[in-house]
Amino acid sequence: MDAVEKANTARQQQWIKDRKVGEGTYAVVYQGREASTKRKIAVKKIKVGQFKDGLDMSAIREVKYLRELKHQNVIELLDVFSSKTNLNLVLEFLDSDLEMIIKDRSLVFLPADIKSWMAMTFRGLEFCHRNWILHRDLKPNNLLIASDGQLKLADFGLARDFADPGYKMTCQVITRWYRPPELLFGCRYYGTAVDIWSVGCIFAELMLRIPYLPGESDMDQLKTIFRALGTPTEDDWPGHTKLPDYVPVGQFPKPPMRDLFTAATADTLNLLSKCLIYEPRKRISALEALSHPYFFALPYPTHPSKLPKCSTVVNKPLDEVDANVDMNSSGPGVKATSKGLKRKLTSPTEAKARSIARRLDFSKAPPSSP
Amino acid sequence: MSTGLVASSENTESKDPQQRQPLYEASTQFRNWRFSSEGLAQIREKLNEAAVAAIRNTFEVDQPGSSANVAFLHANEEVTLVKLYLTKIPQLCAMFRFPEEVEATAISYLKRFYLKNTVMDWHPKNVMLTALFLATKTTNNPISLETYTAHIPKTAPSDVLDLEFLVAQSLNFEFTVWHAHRALWGIWLDLQSLPDVDQNLSPSIHDTALNHIRASRLTDAELIYTPSQIALAAFTLAAPDLALKWAQSKLLPNVTSSQLSLDTISPVLELIKSMILNEGHAPDVEAVREVDRRLRICKNPEKVVGSKAYLAKQAEEERKAEEKRHKKVLEMQKGQSDPFGDEIQGTSLVDYDDDDD
Ligand SMILES: Nc1ncnc2c1ncn2[C@@H]1O[C@H](COP(=O)(O)OP(=O)(O)O)[C@@H](O)[C@H]1O
């Protein structure tokens, strides 16, 4: 056997696949373990044989960028190996994603929780941008959550580097609801600001608990944006009417953000609106966002381990779980006997605080509801 | 060697003043693809020896005594053959009008591939074509495989598809390459903003330096030195005075150590310069032809489609796969107990979709 084949087999043997946990557009995902440490991992198996152009671009991008990026808030690629005509990516196992958490109506978000998720998102994104990498597909279900509460940017299948300035790029990226207006107008020269717009939409969604700008088509997306933020003038965004796919979609006044985000602080709205500035060059950068007053004002961000999380693994009644909670311990809080169970809430006092917060709902009315 | 110093000249001047670890030093290239000259020689020697032993054995199994008169290739002959195919990449790139990035990346891939494989197993022609095709994708300049092979004589899509996975695997799926031509661009931009430099620098200086970098791609330089070191050496060859000015401006903030650092860099620069000047050209065609002629006899028969050894190896692999399938069926029938208990919740331990084990 060749040295390369041997090395591959050795790698393959370090990882054990246990069961299928999901299916994506081009991959099957398994839960598994690292043979030596029993550490929980995910194996993303990508079929390669079926493509007439060989290894497909999404797989190549994902491997290329994750191989280089190591950061607490970016999903970790632990290994890559092949089996027959499959490419296997070994990833750290992540229990849930932000979309699941947003949709879980039994969870209550405190402003401090949202601040914590936003801080982790900006940290991960700042690291990507510092490495000259655009993510180009940020949305709640690509922000995965680890069991310790850490948020990780995932799915780099659309990512690319931008070290070459003035290099023409495709505008067909980013899921519609999170896509910035410059891409909807067909702009082919863009930068880090496209990711910031997506983060702005996610920020709003965390407060509203429903998608902020849910357009039904690309054209309707622009309308939805303008209805929420006002149609941009030439002053707001010089030159936008000259963009390749520019079309006038109607004049909408700019409603005060406060009308929708009733409970948000001034700092919160300030950061949100800086993420959603029309002129891409004026939009806040990830680095600037991290030093925005929002992150230094009270309440301080919730510690990741104390963030609300989905209770998907709970398969016994909750009181039974609570019986295992060790109130005096600052550790994981769940006794070893309750292995495999997860608590919904961190502590009884916090539960109370959360139910109060729930009544102070951020959202008055869903945007663009018929 | 002060890699940090020179590496920081990469075109990555960040707006972040408290920039942590230099990006280049966190890269897979820095961690996994840098060697000493001796280290490189050793790797190639070992690969060559192992291949010769294995192929000799295959010959002997086929027909005892048959390997006695075979003139196997030496490690340095392998390098020469690979070098010839390195020179083909710029020609193809010119034909396809691929950007510099594609060309430089493909060249790096081809060199890295032969630090894990030998030409006696895999002839560089198709590996070169595959490395180039893969590079178009990893640098985000994809073209369809059909278009690609249609423009290359006597090449079918399968020639590339068959090897793509092996090439990617040999690269350890580490596709990002840091290039000297980018570092050169960084130096060039830096120079335009130096106070004591004429702002009307002739672009021909940059072009001359770039040609030295292109020559360096035919050498081992990128496997030994950092992109910035190579760029500075190439620039020194093109415009020694300007190169010195640039180096001084980079080192100036710490005047006392600057002399020291310049002194430590220059021996390295000298080594790179002589490498570029002495080895940065195509190999002698006659010599390569001779190597290629011998390769036809000493190549690994197990890799020659249709040969007796190839068929034997295939049969053996098929037998092993069959054995595995059989074992799996038996396990399923036994209803083997499930070590993960209730976590599995109804899903069978054996995944029918999982066709790879
Ligand atoms: N690192 C991971 N840890 C745990 N589960 C994962 C991980 N990555 C993906 N999954 C699961 O596999 C499913 C499909 O993943 P993926 O192929 O990345 O999805 P998509 O194609 O929708 O982006 C996900 O919805 C998720 O349930």
Side-chain angles (χ1 to χ4, degrees):
Chain A
M1 209 182 347
D2 297 1
V4 174
E5 255 177 85
K6 261 190 211 136
N8 183 63
T9 310
R11 278 164 176 253
Q12 186 168 3
Q13 281 162 355
Q14 287 171 29
W15 313 104
I16 299 164
K17 282 189 220 161
D18 288 330
R19 66 188 179 106
K20 192 163 154 179
V21 290
E23 204 151 337
T25 31
Y26 70 111
V28 183
V29 180
Y30 299 85
Q31 183 191 308
R33 287 158 297 145
E34 179 172 15
S36 55
T37 64
K38 306 287 177 266
R39 167 185 184 182
K40 209 165 154 188
I41 49 109
V43 179
K44 189 164 174 175
K45 188 177 87 178
I46 301 164
K47 287 210 191 261
V48 174
Q50 68 198 33
F51 301 108
K52 76 170 179 35
D53 288 321
L55 282 169
D56 99 307
M57 288 295 289
S58 307
I60 283 187
R61 290 194 189 105
E62 184 137 30
V63 173
K64 176 179 174 183
Y65 296 118
L66 289 183
R67 267 292 195 213
E68 306 293 322
L69 294 171
K70 295 275 174 275
H71 187 273
Q72 189 170 37
N73 300 115
V74 174
I75 188 169
E76 189 182 0
L77 177 64
L78 300 162
D79 204 355
V80 185
F81 64 86
S82 56
S83 49
K84 276 195 192 158
T85 58
N86 299 318
L87 183 61
N88 294 266
L89 313 190
V90 183
L91 298 159
E92 60 179 318
F93 190 90
L94 299 168
D95 300 283
S96 59
D97 60 58
L98 206 53
E99 184 184 11
M100 287 163 66
I101 292 178
I102 289 171
K103 284 188 172 157
D104 187 337
R105 286 279 143 194
S106 70
L107 300 176
V108 174
F109 299 174
L110 301 175
D113 300 337
I114 295 174
K115 194 174 289 187
S116 179
W117 283 316
M118 289 307 293
M120 293 188 281
T121 304
F122 275 125
R123 268 188 225 124
L125 187 60
E126 188 276 325
F127 181 72
C128 295
H129 289 176
R130 184 155 27 105
N131 279 280
W132 303 90
I133 294 166
L134 303 180
H135 185 283
R136 304 200 301 179
D137 197 17
L138 290 175
K139 54 184 171 180
N141 100 336
N142 283 338
L143 301 178
L144 305 190
I145 309 291
S147 56
D148 64 357
Q150 284 290 342
L151 177 151
K152 320 255 177 181
L153 271 56
D155 202 341
F156 281 70
L158 278 175
R160 69 156 292 160
D161 36 311
F162 61 98
D164 263 334
Y167 199 86
K168 216 166 162 178
M169 301 187 266
T170 172
C171 52
Q172 296 305 315
V173 289
I174 307 186
T175 306
R176 190 193 302 127
W177 297 348
Y178 306 90
R179 200 183 299 159
E182 66 267 28
L183 293 186
L184 292 160
F185 280 146
C187 182
R188 306 292 297 272
Y189 303 92
Y190 53 84
T192 52
V194 298
D195 286 334
I196 298 294
W197 180 277
S198 310
V199 174
C201 297
I202 295 166
F203 193 6
E205 186 167 338
L206 281 167
M207 293 190 260
L208 301 169
R209 302 294 292 265
I210 51 162
Y212 176 43
L213 302 168
E216 278 160 18
S217 63
D218 286 4
M219 187 56 71
D220 184 55
Q221 186 63 37
L222 280 165
K223 229 180 225 169
T224 309
I225 293 172
F226 295 169
R227 222 181 274 127
L229 299 164
T231 305
T233 63
E234 188 62 23
D235 259 3
D236 293 334
W237 186 5
H240 73 279
T241 55
K242 302 282 184 321
L243 288 171
D245 302 339
Y246 173 79
V247 273
V249 286
Q251 289 299 318
F252 298 94
K254 183 175 170 56
M257 270 199 166
R258 158 97 38 240
D259 288 1
L260 186 58
F261 305 94
T262 47
T265 65
D267 284 333
T268 308
L269 288 189
N270 185 280
L271 177 57
L272 176 63
S273 57
K274 282 187 166 155
C275 294
L276 300 172
I277 290 175
Y278 281 123
E279 156 77 281
R281 271 167 298 189
K282 290 203 197 120
R283 222 170 278 157
I284 198 165
S285 73
L287 187 65
E288 289 161 355
L290 285 172
S291 46
H292 190 277
Y294 166 72
F295 289 113
F296 300 95
L298 288 169
Y300 294 133
T302 308
H303 189 273
S305 64
K306 302 268 166 66
L307 285 168
K309 51 176 110 171
C310 296
S311 46
T312 46
V313 198
V314 175
N315 45 15
K316 292 191 182 172
L318 244 160
D319 46 338
E320 208 178 309
V321 180
D322 283 344
N324 284 319
V325 175
D326 183 357
M327 303 294 184
N328 301 318
S329 137
S330 56
V334 180
K335 281 181 188 161
T337 46
S338 64
K339 226 166 106 189
L341 299 177
K342 260 181 221 153
R343 290 169 310 139
K344 250 188 204 169
L345 302 165
T346 315
S347 70
T349 34
E350 242 182 74
K352 205 162 151 203
R354 287 190 191 286
S355 72
I356 294 166
R358 194 178 192 177
R359 271 171 261 143
L360 308 169
D361 205 347
F362 286 108
S363 56
K364 211 168 75 181
S368 72
S369 56
Chain B
M1 173 57 224
S2 159
T3 48
L5 155 78
V6 188
S8 68
S9 73
E10 220 66 58
N11 59 339
T12 54
E13 329 92 287
S14 168
K15 278 147 249 142
D16 180 4
Q18 327 122 42
Q19 171 120 57
R20 282 137 278 197
Q21 188 186 25
L23 301 174
Y24 168 68
E25 290 181 22
S27 69
T28 50
Q29 175 163 331
F30 183 84
R31 288 183 283 129
N32 305 333
W33 298 100
R34 281 183 326 136
F35 310 86
S36 62
S37 306
E38 303 75 39
L40 279 177
Q42 236 173 43
I43 289 169
R44 289 171 174 150
E45 210 53 62
K46 269 184 137 167
L47 269 172
N48 177 271
E49 274 170 31
V52 169
I55 298 169
R56 199 182 281 285
N57 185 49
T58 312
F59 276 125
E60 293 296 321
V61 168
D62 188 43
Q63 196 183 336
S66 63
S67 77
N69 295 321
V70 177
F72 290 99
L73 299 189
H74 298 294
N76 60 344
E77 292 170 324
E78 295 201 38
V79 172
T80 307
L81 186 62
V82 172
K83 192 170 175 180
L84 177 76
Y85 285 92
L86 289 176
T87 67
K88 308 273 185 199
I89 291 175
Q91 294 168 15
L92 283 168
C93 288
M95 182 180 84
F96 284 109
R97 295 177 191 278
F98 289 148
E100 188 93 24
E101 182 85 7
V102 174
E103 179 175 325
T105 304
I107 287 177
S108 300
Y109 287 178
L110 189 56
K111 283 186 210 164
R112 291 181 183 186
F113 179 88
Y114 286 108
L115 295 179
K116 301 282 175 83
N117 301 279
T118 109
V119 303
M120 289 182 279
D121 279 346
W122 309 106
H123 194 282
K125 178 181 174 253
N126 284 353
V127 174
M128 179 272 292
L129 294 176
T130 308
L132 179 54
F133 182 68
L134 186 59
T136 63
K137 292 195 277 186
T138 60
T139 60
N140 213 16
N141 296 282
I143 68 167
S144 91
L145 182 55
E146 237 163 61
T147 313
Y148 179 70
T149 52
H151 286 83
I152 304 170
K154 288 183 274 179
T155 304
S158 65
D159 292 332
V160 171
L161 278 186
D162 289 351
L163 286 178
E164 190 182 39
F165 220 54
L166 176 74
V167 171
Q169 219 172 53
S170 302
L171 299 174
N172 204 9
F173 299 100
E174 290 161 356
F175 297 135
T176 302
V177 182
W178 291 66
H179 296 297
H181 71 269
R182 279 191 175 279
L184 174 67
W185 187 245
I187 294 177
W188 187 244
L189 293 182
D190 282 349
L191 275 177
Q192 331 258 320
S193 57
L194 282 189
D196 52 342
V197 169
D198 177 8
Q199 295 312 291
N200 296 315
L201 287 173
S202 158
S204 71
I205 299 174
H206 176 267
D207 293 347
T208 309
L210 184 57
N211 281 332
H212 287 300
I213 282 177
R214 290 182 177 142
S216 83
R217 292 189 191 135
L218 300 176
T219 74
D220 281 339
E222 64 176 302
L223 298 170
I224 302 171
Y225 306 104
T226 70
S228 312
Q229 289 170 337
I230 298 169
L232 186 53
F235 203 82
T236 307
L237 284 170
D241 296 348
L242 281 173
L244 188 66
K245 265 193 191 145
W246 177 85
Q248 277 167 340
S249 81
K250 277 283 152 183
L251 302 167
L252 211 61
N254 197 341
V255 182
T256 40
S257 74
S258 79
Q259 208 42 53
L260 187 86
S261 303
L262 271 177
D263 286 346
T264 27
I265 297 176
S266 36
V268 171
L269 290 186
E270 288 310 314
L271 288 171
I272 301 172
K273 276 157 62 183
S274 73
M275 205 176 223
I276 291 174
L277 296 176
N278 298 326
E279 295 159 43
H281 52 79
D284 174 54
V285 181
E286 273 315 309
V288 183
R289 205 166 276 161
E290 171 62 16
V291 171
D292 208 19
R293 196 186 56 74
R294 275 168 47 213
L295 179 57
R296 255 173 266 157
I297 297 160
C298 71
K299 70 186 165 193
N300 189 347
E302 283 184 351
K303 314 279 185 198
V304 180
V305 181
S307 77
K308 211 162 131 189
Y310 178 87
L311 294 174
K313 190 168 185 234
Q314 283 228 313
E316 173 64 13
E317 272 163 15
E318 185 46 42
R319 191 189 59 73
K320 275 193 196 141
E322 181 54 40
E323 203 168 74
K324 245 180 164 176
R325 275 196 290 275
H326 185 65
K327 227 167 100 190
K328 201 159 165 178
V329 170
L330 277 183
E331 272 167 16
M332 277 164 68
Q333 285 166 349
K334 265 196 297 193
Q336 205 195 40
S337 76
D338 182 352
F340 306 103
D342 38 35
E343 244 189 67
I344 301 284
Q345 284 173 348
T347 41
S348 155
L349 183 67
V350 179
D351 186 343
Y352 297 91
D353 184 59
D354 192 7
D355 56 359
D356 58 35
D357 53 11

